[in-house]
Amino acid sequence: PAPIIQYNQQPVSTLDLCSNQTIVLEVANAGDWLYQWQLNGKDIPGINAPTLPVNKAGGYSVTRSVNNTGQDQCSQPSRSETIQVGQGLGPSTLIRKSADVLCTGGTLQLGGPQNTSYSSQWRKGMNTLPESGPTINVVEAGMYVLVIKNAVNGCTATDSVEVTTESIRVTLPEQVEVE
């Protein structure tokens, strides 16, 4: 039978990579065979293990053949189905502010993208905030960070914004009476 390519011990036909991500493809029930991995139909030189680290998009397949250690010498090499690895897109994380500055005693709303397949995690500095939705209301100055994860492909993205406060002091002259 033809070898079956898996990711996380599950057969796959397509996968998405996030930027700067490496995944490991593997042959199901690897056994004692020789393997040759291909990218877009061409052999990948020197890659003969039942696992393959992948960090770029393309069509991946593997050919399995006898390794001459007691296996049936009449067995012919067999090739897997090609799986397509695409470049997954991370979520857009541009943080929106309801105002440019936070007035003393006021509230400022910060918002990220509204998408039901995204999960949001907010931080102030290095501290994780309890809010987990796409928007939060802040009452203190500081560096706010939003980490978004796309539940569909697992890609994440991060954005940050500095919130500053502004207080205005107005001094009025003493009351003057005019006659």
Side-chain angles (χ1 to χ4, degrees), residues 71-94:
Q71 290 172 324
D72 179 4
Q73 300 300 309
C74 296
S75 180
Q76 297 294 313
S78 58
R79 185 174 178 174
S80 70
E81 295 287 325
T82 299
I83 68 157
Q84 293 300 318
V85 176
Q87 189 64 47
L89 297 175
S92 167
T93 58
L94 184 61

Side-chain angles (χ1 to χ4, degrees), residues 7-179:
Y7 172 65
N8 284 340
Q9 300 179 348
Q10 296 295 318
V12 292
S13 58
T14 61
L15 283 171
D16 280 331
L17 282 174
C18 302
S19 59
N20 300 321
Q21 179 188 27
T22 298
I23 61 172
V24 177
L25 300 178
E26 58 192 7
V27 176
N29 304 314
D32 191 21
W33 298 85
L34 292 178
Y35 297 93
Q36 177 59 62
W37 288 89
Q38 294 88 30
L39 172 58
N40 299 325
K42 297 182 181 177
D43 287 351
I44 304 171
I47 305 298
N48 306 106
T51 59
L52 176 69
V54 172
N55 59 10
K56 69 180 197 177
Y60 289 87
S61 59
V62 65
T63 300
R64 177 174 60 195
S65 59
V66 175
N67 74 0
N68 297 323
T69 58
Q71 290 172 324
D72 179 4
Q73 300 300 309
C74 296
S75 180
Q76 297 294 313
S78 58
R79 185 174 178 174
S80 70
E81 295 287 325
T82 299
I83 68 157
Q84 293 300 318
V85 176
Q87 189 64 47
L89 297 175
S92 167
T93 58
L94 184 61
I95 296 175
R96 298 174 317 280
K97 295 192 296 185
S98 61
D100 288 332
V101 294
L102 173 64
C103 295
T104 302
T107 300
L108 181 79
Q109 186 177 70
L110 302 178
Q114 307 270 337
N115 187 318
T116 56
S117 65
Y118 292 174
S119 63
S120 303
Q121 179 188 45
W122 289 93
R123 292 191 315 247
K124 180 181 176 205
M126 298 303 292
N127 300 318
T128 300
L129 299 175
E131 293 86 349
S132 60
T135 61
I136 62 170
N137 292 313
V138 299
V139 295
E140 297 177 339
M143 178 64 70
Y144 289 85
V145 177
L146 172 61
V147 179
I148 301 237
K149 181 175 184 178
N150 184 333
V152 174
N153 62 15
C155 294
T156 61
T158 303
D159 193 15
S160 61
V161 64
E162 180 75 28
V163 172
T164 57
T165 56
E166 183 174 280
S167 62
I168 300 172
R169 177 177 284 215
V170 178
T171 304
L172 298 174
E174 289 184 32
Q175 188 173 19
V176 178
E177 288 187 29
V178 179
E179 292 182 30

